[in-house]
Amino acid sequence: MEKVQFETFDGPLDLLLSLLSKNEINIYDIPIAKITDQYMNYLYQADELNIELASEFIVVAAQLIEIKTRMMLPKEEPEEEQTDPREELVRRLNEYRVFKQISEYIKRGESTYQELVEKDPEYFPQLAEESSPVDINTQMLLNAIRSVFARTRIKPEEEFDYTIMREEVSVEDMIESISRRLEMENTISFFSLFEEHSGKYYIIAAFLAILEMVKDGTVLLSQETPYADIIIERA
Amino acid sequence: MDELDLKYALEAILFASGESVALQALARAIEKTPSETRELLRELMEDYDRGMRGLRIMQMENRYQMLTRNEYFPYIRNIVKATPASSLSQAALETLSIVAYRQPVTRADIEYIRGVQSSSSLDLLVDRGFVRIAGKLDAPGRPVTYETTPEFLKLMDITSISEMPKFEEFSGGIQLRLEEQPEENGQQ
């Protein structure tokens, strides 16, 4: 048996245009019987090969048969008033043919487009988190604690070992101590809580203590500018 | 900053942004009016086009983007294993052609012209960013209409949809004897 190269089409109009061009037929004078036969032949072929065609192919087949039938009917009216049964089909084929040409044009543009390289937008995490004055992010906290370490001449990078030490000063003790100072002074500077020899754990305890006190609502914190000293006052 | 600096400020913004940036956003960034900004961008684009730089700046309507010049793609491919983006199927290309010249257009209109169901092609074109929903038609069922996007302009390497050839240029030679053949040229 001869091997058949089965051509696929993008739709019934695509198939019709192909049949017309194979037969070198003028689109305005379609020999409808001949084309209908060839069209139907394609559908039978697809059926034999178990190729499922879109239902639209059948719709157009029906239209072709209808046109063929109408053309076989005797013409009763004068020639002028007679509309060609093929007219609608011709109009659609013409329009589709133009869009196929436009497709070719767009396809040519596509080959250039595929060779354009663009880069991903830069990602700026620090900008994404850019804060309003009330927002405090981890970076600001880190900067604040770094400035405290800087004041006390502790270099966290050098001194930090990963052993967990027993707290030298508990957070509770620190809260107690800050509360006592606030009974005598209206405001306390955060930096004043430490001295040059204050240990890292002491600083961390103080830091946690004021956070705890803010949470409890016993103190208010204010800061002129980021990284500046934090003023602690009674709420 | 004088004018020269601002032109290069735009260059820096476009590099950092990667994707296309609206003229209004660029104008706001350099604290100039949109028309002043457009002029600076025009100068910048000319700088890039003069002497076939590796990069170029493309304008799609009022959006601007920095991209590599396609002529240098073979060299890029020598160093990065870059494969070109997948090509559009014939069905998708036909659908895109219809959207380009009939926009805003409904799916039903596209399907009538193509004579075949086109929803998967349309979905693909929307996913690829060449087509978007334009709105809803004031007709029974309020069907959605589709239009082309700035990405489509990039695909065609044009600044505006009005730069597409006229519909008649494609039908050229073919005598369209039916009076209601569209005269539109794809203008939005």
Side-chain angles (χ1 to χ4, degrees):
Chain A
M1 203 181 127
E2 201 188 337
K3 258 198 178 169
V4 187
Q5 182 77 40
F6 191 78
E7 210 179 333
T8 57
F9 295 95
D10 272 306
L13 298 179
D14 197 24
L15 168 57
L16 273 177
L17 278 183
S18 164
L19 293 177
L20 294 182
S21 80
K22 260 181 214 149
N23 291 289
E24 292 177 358
I25 287 166
N26 174 359
I27 198 162
Y28 296 109
D29 193 20
I30 302 171
I32 209 79
K34 182 178 175 188
I35 290 299
T36 303
D37 287 350
Q38 291 187 5
Y39 186 95
M40 294 310 291
N41 199 32
Y42 179 85
L43 263 52
Y44 295 139
Q45 226 181 353
D47 194 45
E48 273 172 34
L49 293 166
N50 273 324
I51 293 167
E52 208 170 315
L53 291 176
S55 57
E56 290 93 340
F57 281 91
I58 313 296
V59 174
V60 170
Q63 283 167 353
L64 285 171
I65 292 164
E66 193 213 334
I67 295 167
K68 188 176 154 187
T69 315
R70 279 173 60 195
M71 290 190 72
M72 290 192 306
L73 293 173
K75 290 170 186 170
E76 292 163 3
E77 297 159 52
E79 198 67 24
E80 295 87 3
E81 288 171 36
Q82 183 86 26
T83 57
D84 192 325
R86 297 172 295 185
E87 187 163 308
E88 169 66 5
L89 184 67
V90 169
R91 195 190 66 75
R92 285 187 67 186
L93 280 172
N94 241 332
E95 188 177 45
Y96 179 68
R97 185 162 64 163
V98 175
F99 280 114
K100 269 188 84 82
Q101 284 177 30
I102 297 172
S103 304
E104 292 297 312
Y105 180 77
I106 292 180
K107 198 178 172 62
R108 286 201 291 277
E110 193 188 20
S111 57
T112 302
Y113 174 82
Q114 288 171 327
E115 294 182 340
L116 297 176
V117 178
E118 59 186 73
K119 72 184 249 311
D120 282 342
E122 279 315 313
Y123 177 57
F124 301 105
Q126 66 273 37
L127 289 190
E129 289 174 26
E130 198 162 63
S131 56
S132 66
V134 283
D135 290 329
I136 292 177
N137 60 38
T138 47
Q139 186 63 45
M140 289 164 74
L141 283 177
L142 183 64
N143 289 340
I145 203 76
R146 272 177 197 279
S147 80
V148 169
F149 284 139
R151 285 173 64 85
T152 57
R153 296 185 186 165
I154 293 173
K155 290 188 179 129
E157 294 85 358
E158 283 171 25
E159 292 194 7
F160 195 84
D161 63 17
Y162 294 89
T163 2
I164 297 166
M165 305 281 280
R166 222 182 104 245
E167 272 183 15
E168 290 164 39
V169 188
S170 73
V171 177
E172 288 75 21
D173 291 346
M174 192 57 79
I175 291 173
E176 182 66 29
S177 138
I178 294 171
S179 302
R180 232 181 296 119
R181 274 189 67 182
L182 276 173
E183 281 168 23
M184 293 175 289
E185 300 164 52
N186 287 332
T187 60
I188 309 173
S189 139
F190 180 60
F191 290 158
S192 77
L193 295 175
F194 326 107
E195 289 155 23
E196 277 197 12
H197 60 266
S198 294
K200 190 162 40 179
Y201 298 100
Y202 185 91
I203 296 167
I204 292 168
F207 196 67
L208 290 176
I210 62 162
L211 289 180
E212 194 67 33
M213 293 169 87
V214 168
K215 201 184 90 185
D216 294 343
T218 54
V219 297
L220 288 175
L221 302 181
S222 56
Q223 192 179 32
E224 292 262 308
T225 55
Y227 321 133
D229 195 4
I230 299 167
I231 307 302
I232 308 162
E233 57 184 314
R234 263 173 305 199
Chain B
M1 278 204 284
D2 59 24
E3 297 272 297
L4 197 67
D5 289 334
L6 284 179
K7 182 169 78 176
Y8 295 124
L10 292 169
E11 180 183 36
I13 293 169
L14 291 174
F15 170 79
S17 300
E19 46 194 35
S20 68
V21 186
L23 176 67
Q24 290 78 358
L26 291 169
R28 223 179 300 124
I30 62 163
E31 296 171 332
K32 289 278 172 188
T33 65
S35 57
E36 288 168 326
T37 309
R38 190 183 296 119
E39 181 55 26
L40 288 169
L41 284 161
R42 198 186 55 75
E43 286 175 26
L44 187 63
M45 287 164 81
E46 278 176 14
D47 288 355
Y48 271 92
D49 287 342
R50 207 176 299 131
M52 290 287 278
R53 295 274 299 269
L55 296 172
R56 62 180 290 208
I57 292 160
M58 286 182 91
Q59 183 191 352
M60 294 90 81
E61 299 283 2
N62 66 344
R63 301 190 72 85
Y64 294 82
Q65 186 174 22
M66 185 182 277
L67 298 140
T68 63
R69 203 174 286 280
N70 74 288
E71 286 87 345
Y72 296 115
F73 185 73
Y75 297 99
I76 297 175
R77 194 154 47 182
N78 284 344
I79 196 120
V80 211
K81 282 184 191 133
T83 45
S86 62
S87 301
L88 293 170
S89 67
Q90 184 56 37
L93 285 167
E94 284 177 23
T95 305
L96 186 54
S97 306
I98 296 166
V99 176
Y101 282 89
R102 289 290 159 83
Q103 57 187 314
V105 65
T106 63
R107 183 166 59 88
D109 288 342
I110 295 166
E111 292 180 344
Y112 181 74
I113 293 169
R114 292 193 58 224
V116 71
Q117 190 269 112
S118 304
S119 59
S120 61
S121 297
L122 258 179
D123 289 347
L124 174 100
L125 291 169
V126 170
D127 289 346
R128 291 284 303 269
F130 297 128
V131 164
R132 66 184 171 206
I133 289 174
K136 283 187 173 172
L137 204 67
D138 198 11
R142 309 219 357 102
V144 294
T145 56
Y146 295 88
E147 64 183 7
T148 54
T149 62
E151 195 67 18
F152 174 72
L153 301 179
K154 203 202 288 181
L155 174 68
M156 299 315 296
D157 198 358
I158 51 177
T159 301
S160 156
I161 193 78
S162 60
E163 289 171 34
M164 285 291 280
K166 296 221 183 312
F167 186 81
E168 289 72 25
E169 286 180 37
F170 293 105
S171 53
I174 307 169
Q175 284 300 306
L176 298 175
R177 64 174 176 180
L178 287 132
E179 54 291 339
E180 47 117 4
Q181 269 302 323
E183 287 180 354
E184 70 192 86
N185 55 16
Q187 267 169 6
Q188 272 177 316

mmCIF file of all heavy atoms in Angstrom, chain A residues 89-121:
data_model
loop_
_atom_site.group_PDB
_atom_site.id
_atom_site.type_symbol
_atom_site.label_atom_id
_atom_site.label_comp_id
_atom_site.label_asym_id
_atom_site.label_seq_id
_atom_site.Cartn_x
_atom_site.Cartn_y
_atom_site.Cartn_z
ATOM 1 N N LEU A 89 -18.777 32.612 0.792
ATOM 2 C CA LEU A 89 -17.580 31.779 0.945
ATOM 3 C C LEU A 89 -16.349 32.491 0.377
ATOM 4 O O LEU A 89 -15.275 32.492 0.985
ATOM 5 C CB LEU A 89 -17.788 30.436 0.229
ATOM 6 C CG LEU A 89 -16.636 29.435 0.398
ATOM 7 C CD1 LEU A 89 -16.527 28.966 1.840
ATOM 8 C CD2 LEU A 89 -16.808 28.246 -0.539
ATOM 9 N N VAL A 90 -16.523 33.123 -0.762
ATOM 10 C CA VAL A 90 -15.423 33.843 -1.400
ATOM 11 C C VAL A 90 -14.936 34.976 -0.494
ATOM 12 O O VAL A 90 -13.732 35.168 -0.313
ATOM 13 C CB VAL A 90 -15.861 34.402 -2.782
ATOM 14 C CG1 VAL A 90 -14.818 35.378 -3.329
ATOM 15 C CG2 VAL A 90 -16.077 33.268 -3.755
ATOM 16 N N ARG A 91 -15.919 35.674 0.086
ATOM 17 C CA ARG A 91 -15.560 36.787 0.962
ATOM 18 C C ARG A 91 -14.733 36.291 2.154
ATOM 19 O O ARG A 91 -13.707 36.872 2.501
ATOM 20 C CB ARG A 91 -16.826 37.490 1.474
ATOM 21 C CG ARG A 91 -16.570 38.858 2.081
ATOM 22 C CD ARG A 91 -17.811 39.396 2.784
ATOM 23 N NE ARG A 91 -18.163 38.599 3.954
ATOM 24 C CZ ARG A 91 -17.515 38.643 5.112
ATOM 25 N NH1 ARG A 91 -16.498 39.450 5.259
ATOM 26 N NH2 ARG A 91 -17.869 37.874 6.120
ATOM 27 N N ARG A 92 -15.173 35.179 2.720
ATOM 28 C CA ARG A 92 -14.450 34.643 3.890
ATOM 29 C C ARG A 92 -13.072 34.124 3.503
ATOM 30 O O ARG A 92 -12.097 34.331 4.227
ATOM 31 C CB ARG A 92 -15.263 33.513 4.533
ATOM 32 C CG ARG A 92 -16.450 34.015 5.322
ATOM 33 C CD ARG A 92 -17.122 32.891 6.069
ATOM 34 N NE ARG A 92 -16.271 32.343 7.135
ATOM 35 C CZ ARG A 92 -16.596 31.265 7.855
ATOM 36 N NH1 ARG A 92 -17.712 30.635 7.621
ATOM 37 N NH2 ARG A 92 -15.786 30.846 8.806
ATOM 38 N N LEU A 93 -13.003 33.468 2.367
ATOM 39 C CA LEU A 93 -11.707 32.936 1.926
ATOM 40 C C LEU A 93 -10.716 34.065 1.669
ATOM 41 O O LEU A 93 -9.551 33.982 2.024
ATOM 42 C CB LEU A 93 -11.878 32.096 0.661
ATOM 43 C CG LEU A 93 -12.376 30.671 0.861
ATOM 44 C CD1 LEU A 93 -12.676 30.018 -0.487
ATOM 45 C CD2 LEU A 93 -11.346 29.836 1.625
ATOM 46 N N ASN A 94 -11.244 35.118 1.039
ATOM 47 C CA ASN A 94 -10.411 36.273 0.752
ATOM 48 C C ASN A 94 -9.853 36.893 2.021
ATOM 49 O O ASN A 94 -8.664 37.185 2.127
ATOM 50 C CB ASN A 94 -11.259 37.331 0.048
ATOM 51 C CG ASN A 94 -10.708 37.612 -1.320
ATOM 52 O OD1 ASN A 94 -9.504 37.449 -1.543
ATOM 53 N ND2 ASN A 94 -11.568 38.019 -2.227
ATOM 54 N N GLU A 95 -10.740 37.095 2.962
ATOM 55 C CA GLU A 95 -10.356 37.715 4.216
ATOM 56 C C GLU A 95 -9.337 36.826 4.949
ATOM 57 O O GLU A 95 -8.313 37.305 5.429
ATOM 58 C CB GLU A 95 -11.613 37.899 5.079
ATOM 59 C CG GLU A 95 -11.384 38.704 6.335
ATOM 60 C CD GLU A 95 -12.673 38.913 7.110
ATOM 61 O OE1 GLU A 95 -13.438 37.938 7.276
ATOM 62 O OE2 GLU A 95 -12.919 40.049 7.543
ATOM 63 N N TYR A 96 -9.635 35.540 4.966
ATOM 64 C CA TYR A 96 -8.730 34.614 5.639
ATOM 65 C C TYR A 96 -7.361 34.607 4.960
ATOM 66 O O TYR A 96 -6.322 34.570 5.611
ATOM 67 C CB TYR A 96 -9.341 33.206 5.641
ATOM 68 C CG TYR A 96 -8.474 32.168 6.303
ATOM 69 C CD1 TYR A 96 -8.255 32.203 7.684
ATOM 70 C CD2 TYR A 96 -7.867 31.166 5.561
ATOM 71 C CE1 TYR A 96 -7.443 31.259 8.301
ATOM 72 C CE2 TYR A 96 -7.059 30.219 6.161
ATOM 73 C CZ TYR A 96 -6.849 30.270 7.532
ATOM 74 O OH TYR A 96 -6.049 29.340 8.130
ATOM 75 N N ARG A 97 -7.384 34.693 3.641
ATOM 76 C CA ARG A 97 -6.131 34.691 2.895
ATOM 77 C C ARG A 97 -5.268 35.906 3.265
ATOM 78 O O ARG A 97 -4.052 35.806 3.403
ATOM 79 C CB ARG A 97 -6.441 34.709 1.394
ATOM 80 C CG ARG A 97 -5.212 34.591 0.534
ATOM 81 C CD ARG A 97 -5.569 34.175 -0.857
ATOM 82 N NE ARG A 97 -6.385 35.182 -1.538
ATOM 83 C CZ ARG A 97 -6.541 35.206 -2.861
ATOM 84 N NH1 ARG A 97 -5.946 34.299 -3.618
ATOM 85 N NH2 ARG A 97 -7.284 36.120 -3.424
ATOM 86 N N VAL A 98 -5.921 37.047 3.427
ATOM 87 C CA VAL A 98 -5.187 38.257 3.824
ATOM 88 C C VAL A 98 -4.567 38.054 5.211
ATOM 89 O O VAL A 98 -3.394 38.361 5.425
ATOM 90 C CB VAL A 98 -6.104 39.502 3.811
ATOM 91 C CG1 VAL A 98 -5.357 40.715 4.350
ATOM 92 C CG2 VAL A 98 -6.614 39.776 2.406
ATOM 93 N N PHE A 99 -5.349 37.487 6.135
ATOM 94 C CA PHE A 99 -4.812 37.289 7.482
ATOM 95 C C PHE A 99 -3.674 36.264 7.483
ATOM 96 O O PHE A 99 -2.761 36.349 8.294
ATOM 97 C CB PHE A 99 -5.918 36.906 8.469
ATOM 98 C CG PHE A 99 -6.693 38.117 8.929
ATOM 99 C CD1 PHE A 99 -8.026 38.283 8.605
ATOM 100 C CD2 PHE A 99 -6.068 39.111 9.677
ATOM 101 C CE1 PHE A 99 -8.725 39.405 9.024
ATOM 102 C CE2 PHE A 99 -6.752 40.235 10.100
ATOM 103 C CZ PHE A 99 -8.081 40.387 9.765
ATOM 104 N N LYS A 100 -3.733 35.324 6.566
ATOM 105 C CA LYS A 100 -2.608 34.378 6.470
ATOM 106 C C LYS A 100 -1.337 35.094 6.015
ATOM 107 O O LYS A 100 -0.237 34.795 6.478
ATOM 108 C CB LYS A 100 -2.948 33.242 5.493
ATOM 109 C CG LYS A 100 -3.593 32.049 6.165
ATOM 110 C CD LYS A 100 -3.737 30.860 5.222
ATOM 111 C CE LYS A 100 -2.483 30.026 5.148
ATOM 112 N NZ LYS A 100 -2.365 29.064 6.257
ATOM 113 N N GLN A 101 -1.538 36.061 5.132
ATOM 114 C CA GLN A 101 -0.371 36.845 4.701
ATOM 115 C C GLN A 101 0.170 37.691 5.844
ATOM 116 O O GLN A 101 1.382 37.856 5.994
ATOM 117 C CB GLN A 101 -0.738 37.739 3.513
ATOM 118 C CG GLN A 101 -0.844 36.936 2.225
ATOM 119 C CD GLN A 101 -1.270 37.790 1.050
ATOM 120 O OE1 GLN A 101 -0.982 38.976 1.001
ATOM 121 N NE2 GLN A 101 -1.959 37.174 0.114
ATOM 122 N N ILE A 102 -0.742 38.235 6.639
ATOM 123 C CA ILE A 102 -0.309 39.030 7.803
ATOM 124 C C ILE A 102 0.458 38.119 8.779
ATOM 125 O O ILE A 102 1.461 38.526 9.350
ATOM 126 C CB ILE A 102 -1.522 39.715 8.487
ATOM 127 C CG1 ILE A 102 -2.174 40.707 7.522
ATOM 128 C CG2 ILE A 102 -1.086 40.417 9.769
ATOM 129 C CD1 ILE A 102 -3.479 41.306 8.013
ATOM 130 N N SER A 103 -0.008 36.874 8.907
ATOM 131 C CA SER A 103 0.689 35.911 9.776
ATOM 132 C C SER A 103 2.141 35.735 9.353
ATOM 133 O O SER A 103 3.041 35.683 10.180
ATOM 134 C CB SER A 103 0.037 34.530 9.709
ATOM 135 O OG SER A 103 -1.308 34.611 10.024
ATOM 136 N N GLU A 104 2.336 35.646 8.046
ATOM 137 C CA GLU A 104 3.695 35.498 7.516
ATOM 138 C C GLU A 104 4.548 36.704 7.917
ATOM 139 O O GLU A 104 5.712 36.574 8.283
ATOM 140 C CB GLU A 104 3.667 35.402 5.974
ATOM 141 C CG GLU A 104 3.040 34.132 5.450
ATOM 142 C CD GLU A 104 3.824 32.902 5.872
ATOM 143 O OE1 GLU A 104 5.057 32.928 5.712
ATOM 144 O OE2 GLU A 104 3.193 31.955 6.376
ATOM 145 N N TYR A 105 3.921 37.864 7.816
ATOM 146 C CA TYR A 105 4.618 39.119 8.139
ATOM 147 C C TYR A 105 5.009 39.140 9.610
ATOM 148 O O TYR A 105 6.134 39.481 9.967
ATOM 149 C CB TYR A 105 3.696 40.295 7.795
ATOM 150 C CG TYR A 105 4.306 41.643 8.084
ATOM 151 C CD1 TYR A 105 5.263 42.194 7.232
ATOM 152 C CD2 TYR A 105 3.920 42.371 9.215
ATOM 153 C CE1 TYR A 105 5.826 43.429 7.494
ATOM 154 C CE2 TYR A 105 4.473 43.607 9.483
ATOM 155 C CZ TYR A 105 5.430 44.131 8.618
ATOM 156 O OH TYR A 105 5.987 45.346 8.888
ATOM 157 N N ILE A 106 4.072 38.746 10.481
ATOM 158 C CA ILE A 106 4.353 38.737 11.920
ATOM 159 C C ILE A 106 5.441 37.704 12.226
ATOM 160 O O ILE A 106 6.327 37.947 13.040
ATOM 161 C CB ILE A 106 3.062 38.469 12.720
ATOM 162 C CG1 ILE A 106 2.107 39.671 12.590
ATOM 163 C CG2 ILE A 106 3.381 38.190 14.197
ATOM 164 C CD1 ILE A 106 0.807 39.547 13.336
ATOM 165 N N LYS A 107 5.385 36.596 11.528
ATOM 166 C CA LYS A 107 6.382 35.533 11.737
ATOM 167 C C LYS A 107 7.790 36.052 11.442
ATOM 168 O O LYS A 107 8.739 35.708 12.141
ATOM 169 C CB LYS A 107 6.054 34.329 10.850
ATOM 170 C CG LYS A 107 6.730 33.047 11.289
ATOM 171 C CD LYS A 107 6.320 31.897 10.387
ATOM 172 C CE LYS A 107 7.128 30.666 10.694
ATOM 173 N NZ LYS A 107 6.921 30.196 12.087
ATOM 174 N N ARG A 108 7.909 36.892 10.435
ATOM 175 C CA ARG A 108 9.227 37.462 10.118
ATOM 176 C C ARG A 108 9.711 38.346 11.271
ATOM 177 O O ARG A 108 10.896 38.364 11.588
ATOM 178 C CB ARG A 108 9.166 38.265 8.811
ATOM 179 C CG ARG A 108 9.068 37.379 7.578
ATOM 180 C CD ARG A 108 9.524 38.121 6.331
ATOM 181 N NE ARG A 108 8.622 39.195 5.936
ATOM 182 C CZ ARG A 108 7.520 39.013 5.212
ATOM 183 N NH1 ARG A 108 7.197 37.808 4.795
ATOM 184 N NH2 ARG A 108 6.752 40.023 4.898
ATOM 185 N N GLY A 109 8.783 39.071 11.898
ATOM 186 C CA GLY A 109 9.154 39.901 13.047
ATOM 187 C C GLY A 109 9.591 39.052 14.226
ATOM 188 O O GLY A 109 10.495 39.413 14.977
ATOM 189 N N GLU A 110 8.978 37.885 14.330
ATOM 190 C CA GLU A 110 9.242 37.019 15.473
ATOM 191 C C GLU A 110 10.701 36.559 15.525
ATOM 192 O O GLU A 110 11.270 36.427 16.600
ATOM 193 C CB GLU A 110 8.309 35.807 15.427
ATOM 194 C CG GLU A 110 8.289 35.024 16.718
ATOM 195 C CD GLU A 110 7.524 33.727 16.617
ATOM 196 O OE1 GLU A 110 7.324 33.223 15.500
ATOM 197 O OE2 GLU A 110 7.134 33.208 17.681
ATOM 198 N N SER A 111 11.311 36.330 14.372
ATOM 199 C CA SER A 111 12.681 35.805 14.392
ATOM 200 C C SER A 111 13.648 36.819 15.016
ATOM 201 O O SER A 111 14.602 36.431 15.687
ATOM 202 C CB SER A 111 13.119 35.388 12.993
ATOM 203 O OG SER A 111 13.005 36.469 12.120
ATOM 204 N N THR A 112 13.387 38.100 14.805
ATOM 205 C CA THR A 112 14.214 39.137 15.438
ATOM 206 C C THR A 112 13.908 39.206 16.938
ATOM 207 O O THR A 112 14.809 39.271 17.772
ATOM 208 C CB THR A 112 13.934 40.516 14.801
ATOM 209 O OG1 THR A 112 14.194 40.426 13.418
ATOM 210 C CG2 THR A 112 14.798 41.588 15.427
ATOM 211 N N TYR A 113 12.631 39.154 17.227
ATOM 212 C CA TYR A 113 12.177 39.247 18.619
ATOM 213 C C TYR A 113 12.813 38.167 19.491
ATOM 214 O O TYR A 113 13.191 38.409 20.631
ATOM 215 C CB TYR A 113 10.650 39.121 18.633
ATOM 216 C CG TYR A 113 10.020 39.042 20.003
ATOM 217 C CD1 TYR A 113 9.772 40.191 20.744
ATOM 218 C CD2 TYR A 113 9.653 37.804 20.542
ATOM 219 C CE1 TYR A 113 9.175 40.119 21.993
ATOM 220 C CE2 TYR A 113 9.053 37.721 21.789
ATOM 221 C CZ TYR A 113 8.819 38.876 22.505
ATOM 222 O OH TYR A 113 8.238 38.795 23.737
ATOM 223 N N GLN A 114 12.944 36.972 18.907
ATOM 224 C CA GLN A 114 13.497 35.851 19.674
ATOM 225 C C GLN A 114 14.963 36.056 20.024
ATOM 226 O O GLN A 114 15.502 35.362 20.865
ATOM 227 C CB GLN A 114 13.345 34.548 18.877
ATOM 228 C CG GLN A 114 11.907 34.084 18.827
ATOM 229 C CD GLN A 114 11.732 32.929 17.873
ATOM 230 O OE1 GLN A 114 12.416 32.828 16.862
ATOM 231 N NE2 GLN A 114 10.815 32.033 18.190
ATOM 232 N N GLU A 115 15.599 37.002 19.354
ATOM 233 C CA GLU A 115 17.012 37.234 19.610
ATOM 234 C C GLU A 115 17.261 38.455 20.487
ATOM 235 O O GLU A 115 18.386 38.904 20.627
ATOM 236 C CB GLU A 115 17.756 37.381 18.277
ATOM 237 C CG GLU A 115 17.732 36.085 17.499
ATOM 238 C CD GLU A 115 18.506 36.174 16.200
ATOM 239 O OE1 GLU A 115 18.739 37.295 15.723
ATOM 240 O OE2 GLU A 115 18.856 35.125 15.672
ATOM 241 N N LEU A 116 16.202 38.999 21.029
ATOM 242 C CA LEU A 116 16.363 40.119 21.960
ATOM 243 C C LEU A 116 16.563 39.549 23.359
ATOM 244 O O LEU A 116 15.853 38.637 23.760
ATOM 245 C CB LEU A 116 15.111 41.006 21.962
ATOM 246 C CG LEU A 116 14.757 41.712 20.659
ATOM 247 C CD1 LEU A 116 13.434 42.454 20.826
ATOM 248 C CD2 LEU A 116 15.853 42.674 20.245
ATOM 249 N N VAL A 117 17.523 40.090 24.073
ATOM 250 C CA VAL A 117 17.734 39.639 25.441
ATOM 251 C C VAL A 117 17.477 40.813 26.370
ATOM 252 O O VAL A 117 17.974 41.913 26.140
ATOM 253 C CB VAL A 117 19.183 39.122 25.641
ATOM 254 C CG1 VAL A 117 19.401 38.695 27.081
ATOM 255 C CG2 VAL A 117 19.464 37.960 24.698
ATOM 256 N N GLU A 118 16.676 40.585 27.368
ATOM 257 C CA GLU A 118 16.446 41.614 28.374
ATOM 258 C C GLU A 118 16.817 41.041 29.719
ATOM 259 O O GLU A 118 16.811 39.824 29.898
ATOM 260 C CB GLU A 118 14.986 42.065 28.357
ATOM 261 C CG GLU A 118 14.000 40.935 28.620
ATOM 262 C CD GLU A 118 12.558 41.379 28.452
ATOM 263 O OE1 GLU A 118 12.153 41.572 27.291
ATOM 264 O OE2 GLU A 118 11.866 41.532 29.465
ATOM 265 N N LYS A 119 17.186 41.896 30.638
ATOM 266 C CA LYS A 119 17.572 41.375 31.942
ATOM 267 C C LYS A 119 16.426 41.524 32.936
ATOM 268 O O LYS A 119 15.531 42.343 32.750
ATOM 269 C CB LYS A 119 18.849 42.038 32.450
ATOM 270 C CG LYS A 119 18.712 43.464 32.901
ATOM 271 C CD LYS A 119 20.061 44.032 33.290
ATOM 272 C CE LYS A 119 20.180 44.277 34.773
ATOM 273 N NZ LYS A 119 19.075 45.007 35.409
ATOM 274 N N ASP A 120 16.502 40.693 33.965
ATOM 275 C CA ASP A 120 15.498 40.783 35.019
ATOM 276 C C ASP A 120 15.657 42.097 35.754
ATOM 277 O O ASP A 120 16.762 42.632 35.842
ATOM 278 C CB ASP A 120 15.694 39.634 36.024
ATOM 279 C CG ASP A 120 15.140 38.326 35.495
ATOM 280 O OD1 ASP A 120 14.328 38.377 34.556
ATOM 281 O OD2 ASP A 120 15.524 37.277 36.008
ATOM 282 N N PRO A 121 14.583 42.618 36.310
ATOM 283 C CA PRO A 121 14.705 43.841 37.108
ATOM 284 C C PRO A 121 15.644 43.600 38.284
ATOM 285 O O PRO A 121 15.677 42.495 38.826
ATOM 286 C CB PRO A 121 13.286 44.101 37.609
ATOM 287 C CG PRO A 121 12.398 43.259 36.780
ATOM 288 C CD PRO A 121 13.213 42.108 36.277
#
